[in-house]
Amino acid sequence: MILGTGIDLVEVDRIASSFARFAAKEAVSKAFGTGIGTGLGWHDIEVVRKPSGEPCILMHGPGERLLVERGATRLHLSLTHTAAHAAAVAILEG
């Protein structure tokens, strides 16, 4: 069952080298319906890559607790970018 979805689009020039990580964290916070703030912070969401190269999310601290509270079993992440824009989609599955 899908518990939440989130998407984010950023202008690459605006945030330089961290564009894909920024968009991913924003999309995850939107999938939880919280946004980035007091309940879910930047450091609670980590973007990593599997050996295959697939991006994935690790949740820490309050983020990990939120994942458990929501009854989520998986958090899916997809990233894409062009020279001008980067986008991320997150799906919270339970």
Side-chain angles (χ1 to χ4, degrees):
M1 172 194 309
I2 295 176
L3 302 174
T5 61
I7 185 169
D8 194 57
L9 176 69
V10 296
E11 294 177 20
V12 172
D13 288 344
R14 189 170 68 98
I15 52 175
S17 64
S18 63
F19 60 88
R21 288 187 306 264
F22 179 89
K25 290 182 178 192
E26 284 284 343
V28 167
S29 72
K30 290 173 182 178
F32 279 105
T34 62
I36 298 293
T38 57
L40 185 62
W42 291 112
H43 297 288
D44 303 330
I45 306 166
E46 181 181 5
V47 181
V48 298
R49 291 203 178 266
K50 295 180 180 179
S52 65
E54 176 187 354
C56 64
I57 296 292
L58 296 177
M59 300 298 285
H60 303 287
E64 190 172 13
R65 285 190 293 278
L66 188 58
L67 195 67
V68 171
E69 287 172 9
R70 298 291 169 90
T73 56
R74 268 188 93 185
L75 185 52
H76 304 271
L77 176 66
S78 181
L79 302 173
T80 191
H81 70 278
T82 66
H85 296 93
V89 174
I91 299 173
L92 188 61
E93 181 182 354

